[in-house]
Amino acid sequence: MSAKSELRSALRQLCRCIAPESLSHSAGDVMRRVESLPCFGPARRIVLYNALPDELPTASMLEQWSLSKTILLPRVAGEGVMEIVQYHASELATGAYNILEPTGNEIVTDFLDTDVALIPGVAFDRLGNRLGRGKGYYDRFLRSFPGTAIGICPDFRLIDSIPAESHDVAMNYVITPSTTISIR
């Protein structure tokens, strides 16, 4: 078993002990920290995600930020392929991995420097390294994303070190309920 697989397994065990209410409370703190970043105000478009049960919930971010910004959500379009699609509340359906995904046709491929992407992760470290679920969807997306990548997670998922590989893309910021780390 690889070091990343062992880390994922250990964090899955730890996550089973965390109450969903705790994640919801943490999400509010993270949302306020994201809004205080200098890149957030001028951002016209925000790449967000609909959370899995063990991730920080993003429903309140989606609801609030969609009032003033264009929200983009990922959609799995095949094995290893993720599209970024404009969010419309009436155009969501359960997709891959039982995640609500956009069903519309407004696929976005031209990202601007002012765009911001909030990225989920199993864990992050203080150097901006991200431990994902092992499929590489977000790493492939981030390679061509010129905007600001912000990893968000609960405090217990900020760990000392994540083994980084050449295909891994580091975050510009990592934000937990109690910490904002600026990497680059």
Side-chain angles (χ1 to χ4, degrees):
M1 185 182 277
S2 75
K4 285 186 174 183
S5 295
E6 289 176 20
L7 203 47
R8 279 187 199 98
S9 180
L11 285 161
R12 253 187 249 114
Q13 293 293 342
L14 182 58
C15 194
R16 289 186 182 124
C17 303
I18 305 300
E21 307 81 52
S22 174
L23 287 177
S24 290
H25 180 72
S26 294
D29 293 337
V30 166
M31 184 173 157
R32 284 183 286 285
R33 285 182 174 278
V34 169
E35 290 172 342
S36 73
L37 294 175
C39 61
F40 183 81
R44 296 185 322 220
R45 300 184 298 182
I46 306 288
V47 178
L48 201 49
Y49 63 91
N50 271 318
L52 290 167
D54 65 341
E55 295 173 336
L56 282 179
T58 56
S60 61
M61 295 174 201
L62 196 99
E63 183 179 319
Q64 188 168 346
W65 294 343
S66 66
L67 298 174
S68 60
K69 299 186 183 287
T70 300
I71 302 297
L72 310 173
L73 294 176
R75 169 174 70 198
V76 174
E79 187 62 37
V81 179
M82 183 172 83
E83 297 173 330
I84 304 298
V85 182
Q86 188 165 338
Y87 163 75
H88 298 285
S90 62
E91 297 177 352
L92 292 174
T94 302
Y97 310 104
N98 288 321
I99 300 170
L100 279 178
E101 296 180 337
T103 59
N105 295 322
E106 296 175 70
I107 298 169
V108 177
T109 57
D110 61 324
F111 295 99
L112 309 170
D113 289 333
T114 56
D115 289 332
V116 169
L118 271 68
I119 308 296
V122 174
F124 295 91
D125 68 17
R126 293 182 176 279
L127 297 176
N129 295 312
R130 174 183 171 271
L131 178 66
R133 296 186 182 269
K135 303 285 187 193
Y137 289 106
Y138 280 100
D139 285 318
R140 281 188 286 283
F141 161 68
L142 289 169
R143 267 189 233 116
S144 63
F145 181 72
T148 303
I150 304 168
I152 63 172
C153 66
D155 286 313
F156 75 92
R157 288 192 172 179
L158 179 61
I159 62 176
D160 291 334
S161 178
I162 293 174
E165 298 173 38
S166 62
H167 64 271
D168 293 331
V169 178
M171 303 293 105
N172 300 104
Y173 293 91
V174 174
I175 296 182
T176 72
S178 63
T179 305
T180 299
I181 301 167
S182 176
I183 290 94
R184 53 186 171 108

